[in-house]
Amino acid sequence: MARIIGGVTSSHIPAVGNAIANNQTQEPYWKRFFDGYKPAQAWLSEKKPDVAIVVYNDHGLNFFLDKVPTFALGCADTYHNDDEGWALKPVAPFKGDAQFSWHIAESLIQQEFDICTCQEMKVDHGFVNPIRALYGTHEVWPVTTIPLAVNTVQHPVPSALRCYKLGQALRQAVESYPEDLRVVVFGTGGLSHQLQGERAGLIDVEFDLDCMEKIANDPQWMTRFSNSEIMRRAGTEGIETIMWLVMRGALQSNVKVVHKHYHVPISNTGAGVLVLENYG
Ligand code: DHB
Ligand code: FE
């Protein structure tokens, strides 16, 4: 039977891919941020999950504003990255597991999450940068991936509570798959940031730290906020943090906090790395 061993959170800012590609990770601006990934990298290399379900948002590479699914699951055996206009070379393709994806899709739809299924899916910085920060860059990636895209770009976006419930359904979907796979769920994006408008540059450290603490120990806390309340506190792009709740909903109610690291600011964002492990 497949089982979820834990979850990891990570920011996904494009500048992270640039810093990695240009060997800047040990420069003063970046060092503390990347040091925050070391215990997460060690945990992943010790636990060696077979599959990472990456909960992320697309920023216009795969879905443009004319067609935006609320939730979309990759159902392919390969996922390609592409040029997003940052002058970054696309990374090597990611291996998927279409059979497992279709099982997840079927289970989610049975549980009344009528997701969009994608037999082709280009993955942008929201997906690629957390994986690069957590595993390094590879020509052959050390983990099979399944992209699960959440619309956090064009309103209306799903609520925090809906994301948490999607995570609970995802757990059920994974645990009903007969193959012995060890699965990790990545909750990406966030924390607080706003990239445009009068409040551009907004970061709320107190809210970020509360989110990190509560998502680990009391995830219901965040499910009580409306999207307007989250955006008021965390900025318009801070709404990405709802994706952490998909990861959290997929875990047991009590989890072991293996690692927690917060760094601010990095680019325009408050960045958090959490490693949460299921007991047994
Ligand atoms: C930044 C953050 C994001 O989530 C994003 O998609 C683009 C840029 C930033 O902080 O620079
Ligand atoms: Fe983003």
Side-chain angles (χ1 to χ4, degrees), residues 133-170:
L134 289 165
Y135 282 100
T137 306
H138 299 265
E139 278 310 304
V140 178
W141 296 97
V143 68
T144 296
T145 52
I146 295 184
L148 175 53
V150 175
N151 170 30
T152 61
V153 168
Q154 173 150 281
H155 295 273
V157 309
S159 68
L161 177 61
R162 186 74 176 146
C163 288
Y164 186 64
K165 288 181 176 172
L166 173 63
Q168 292 176 317
L170 183 61

Side-chain angles (χ1 to χ4, degrees), residues 5 14-15 35 49 61 74 85 89 102 113 135-136 158-159 166 178 246 261 279:
I5 59 166
D35 281 352
L61 179 71
K89 201 170 150 264
W102 283 114
F113 276 94
Y135 282 100
S159 68
L166 173 63
V246 181
H261 185 267
Y279 290 108

Side-chain angles (χ1 to χ4, degrees), residues 251-266:
L251 306 188
Q252 295 165 355
S253 37
N254 291 317
V255 289
K256 181 171 156 194
V257 181
V258 175
H259 174 60
K260 185 172 169 180
H261 185 267
Y262 180 67
H263 183 75
V264 66
I266 203 74

